[in-house]
DNA sequence: GGAGCGATGTCCT
DNA sequence: GGACATCGCTCCG
């Protein structure tokens, strides 16, 4: 039992050692927390995609290690943030032992704490529809103030990094497996994991 | 509520 | 030069 007011446990490096499909399932219903200007911005993870490094034509790591994707080949539990379509950032967490390049793409959160701040960061009114805050990989990065400059390569297993994942003991929901979104290669593999029926899942 | 499409920077061929 | 793990707007039902 958790003592009221005590900090919740942060997911450790060992949590991310497994293959990406396994970690993706475990990540659902955990809480992503961002420390922003002294405030907590938090959202429950409701949609994750798994990417298998060198064995996965859709993965950024597929063609081998480059300057951009180097984080994926490092130890598990680090943030890989990249810039896409000239205007959005996407957040991944590396998994598998060092040398392997699996990762998890965080695609949607159910916002839990700091909704007004998230709305401001998204350029929306404070009372905007919460579905517009963090439903989608680009949206959740904007809502949490995550950019490549500020977060690529940071350790998400450390509470001090300003971005980590907590386990609040929320009972896991039913998981649905779907094809991944927005890719051309290996588009048929069911590596998108969502909380079935959750309204904050993207699209 | 869904299809179509333009915006825009970076990476790798 | 082409592709890109997206988003928000328009237009049409």
């Amino acid at each position: 039992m958790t003592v009221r007011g005590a900090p919740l446990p942060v997911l450790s490096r060992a949590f991310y050692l497994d293959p990406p499909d396994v970690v993706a399932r475990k990540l659902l219903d955990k809480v992503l927390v961002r420390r922003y200007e002294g405030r907590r911005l938090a959202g429950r993870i409701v949609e994750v995609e798994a990417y298998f490094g060198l064995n996965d034509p859709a993965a950024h790591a597929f063609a081998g290690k480059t300057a951009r994707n180097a984080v994926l080949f490092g130890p598990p539990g680090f943030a890989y943030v990249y810039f896409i379509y000239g205007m959005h950032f996407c957040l991944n967490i590396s998994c598998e032992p060092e040398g392997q390049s699996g990762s998890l793409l965080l695609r949607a959160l159910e916002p839990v704490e700091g909704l007004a701040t998230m709305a401001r960061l998204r350029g929306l009114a404070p009372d905007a529809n919460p579905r517009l805050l963090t439903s989608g990989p680009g949206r959740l990065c904007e809502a949490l103030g995550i950019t490549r400059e500020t977060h690529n390569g940071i350790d998400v297993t450390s509470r001090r990094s300003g971005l980590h994942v907590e386990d609040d003991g929320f009972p896991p929901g039913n998981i649905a497996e779907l094809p991944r979104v927005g890719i051309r290669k290996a588009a048929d593999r069911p590596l998108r994991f969502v909380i079935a029926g959750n309204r904050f899942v993207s699209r």
Side-chain angles (χ1 to χ4, degrees):
Chain A
M1 276 289 105
T2 309
V3 177
R4 184 194 294 267
L8 293 166
V10 174
L11 300 185
S12 69
R13 187 126 11 253
F15 181 93
Y16 300 100
L17 274 172
D18 292 318
D21 54 331
V22 175
V23 181
R25 291 173 161 280
K26 293 196 297 183
L27 262 183
L28 289 172
D29 278 323
K30 301 299 187 292
V31 179
L32 181 68
V33 180
R34 158 83 156 120
R35 219 359 104 206
Y36 182 80
E37 294 178 348
R39 285 182 240 272
R40 269 172 62 97
L41 309 180
R44 193 172 303 285
I45 299 169
V46 298
E47 177 178 355
V48 178
E49 284 180 0
Y51 286 86
F52 286 84
L54 297 172
N55 300 317
D56 182 356
H60 283 192
F62 180 65
K65 188 174 176 177
T66 66
R68 176 172 73 147
N69 66 24
V71 174
L72 295 177
F73 291 82
F78 283 78
Y80 168 56
V81 182
Y82 65 90
F83 191 55
I84 190 69
Y85 294 119
M87 62 189 90
H88 302 293
F89 294 99
C90 290
L91 169 66
N92 288 246
I93 300 176
S94 64
C95 70
E96 301 183 308
E98 182 160 10
Q100 295 180 252
S101 50
S103 70
L104 302 315
L105 170 67
L106 274 54
R107 288 195 53 91
L109 310 175
E110 175 168 350
V112 175
E113 295 178 57
L115 275 69
T117 301
M118 291 184 192
R120 177 164 59 80
L121 287 166
R122 290 271 295 118
L124 300 170
D127 60 347
N129 181 352
R131 240 195 60 77
L132 296 176
L133 298 178
T134 52
S135 293
R139 287 171 170 178
L140 77 86
C141 282
E142 190 171 44
L144 298 187
I146 293 170
T147 68
R148 180 180 176 189
E149 298 73 45
T150 56
H151 287 84
N152 188 50
I154 70 152
D155 182 358
V156 301
T157 69
S158 166
R159 205 183 289 278
R160 291 191 313 273
S161 68
L163 186 68
H164 65 269
V165 188
E166 293 179 354
D167 183 358
D168 67 351
F170 191 82
N174 291 327
I175 299 174
E177 302 178 10
L178 303 164
R180 293 177 292 187
V181 172
I183 56 171
R184 304 167 71 95
K185 293 169 283 189
D188 52 334
R189 301 178 70 179
L191 293 175
R192 178 184 180 216
F193 302 91
V194 309
I195 298 297
N198 187 286
R199 64 190 269 257
F200 292 93
V201 169
S202 71
R203 294 195 155 197

